[in-house]
Amino acid sequence: MSLPAAGISLALALGWLLGRLLHVEKTQSFLISAGTAVCGGSAIAALGPVTAATDGQMAVSMGTVYILNSAALFLFPAIGAALHLSQTQFGLWSALAIHDTSSVVGAAAKYGATALEVGTTVKQARALWIVPLTVGIAIADRKTGQRGMIHLPWFILYFVAAAVANSYLPLQHLHWASGLYPSLTRLGKLGLAVTLFLVGTGITRQTIREVGARPMIQGILLWVVAASASLWAIWRGYIHL
């Protein structure tokens, strides 16, 4: 089993255990666990229709992830600086331990350009696991008689297409298209800034009240364990690039 698959499996297993211990509703517990294990709100958005989650369950799961995303934006750069993590180490840790890509970008950009490059690339590669997880859950649910809909995370396909184009279509060597990729880079950064703003506007007092104590406790404990374990493994050199 590959390292990403092993990490995702362990996070899902720990999330299931914490959900059982805290008596969190099954679907809600799974969405929070999947959001922590894979890619935050993107995973929840993809898995919600498959698991036939209600609007309330989606709101609770999203609220938990967004609150922890906001905390990561402030905590991760401070912890990385205190431990004297290199930019590569910090980018890798951010990609493995922060829920959403937008928040990985926010934290890594504050740490440095190399951290941003590493964090964004590794996070998007990790996000690819949304596809097999979503399809697997859909197949399992249909075998048990449940009916769900698969919503593919198209942004991942766009990321792959952009990476392939930048690697194999060197338009910067053509005079008429030399400014295309830099322009797209600036546009992408602007879009990420807008995304971070929208994440912030999704955190309200009402959202916090809807989350409640037990799902929040599950999300926080799972996140703390996942972030601490990945940080220790990176710091000791067990996980590296």
Side-chain angles (χ1 to χ4, degrees), residues 8 12 30 34 37-40 42-47 50 123-140 149-160:
I8 291 170
L12 289 174
F30 174 72
V38 186
C39 191
S42 300
I44 294 171
L47 289 165
V50 176
K123 182 62 177 179
Q124 292 288 14
R126 181 180 165 208
L128 290 170
W129 286 89
I130 296 176
V131 176
L133 181 61
T134 302
V135 173
I137 294 298
I139 293 174
M149 297 176 60
I150 299 179
H151 287 198
L152 292 177
W154 294 105
F155 76 95
I156 298 176
L157 300 182
Y158 297 149
F159 167 78
V160 173

Side-chain angles (χ1 to χ4, degrees), residues 9-101:
S9 299
L10 289 173
L12 289 174
L14 179 58
W16 173 83
L17 178 60
L18 289 173
R20 290 290 298 270
L21 292 175
L22 295 170
H23 303 287
V24 179
E25 194 278 329
K26 182 180 178 181
T27 299
Q28 185 171 290
S29 174
F30 174 72
L31 290 178
I32 292 174
S33 301
T36 303
V38 186
C39 191
S42 300
I44 294 171
L47 289 165
V50 176
T51 58
T54 65
D55 290 341
Q57 291 168 338
M58 293 286 288
V60 167
S61 303
M62 288 286 192
T64 302
V65 164
Y66 287 161
I67 290 170
L68 295 177
N69 274 335
S70 298
L73 287 173
F74 296 97
L75 293 176
F76 271 57
I79 294 173
L83 295 177
H84 304 290
L85 296 180
S86 69
Q87 288 201 28
T88 299
Q89 288 177 319
F90 183 83
L92 182 57
W93 180 42
S94 298
L96 295 178
I98 298 179
H99 296 81
D100 280 290
T101 303

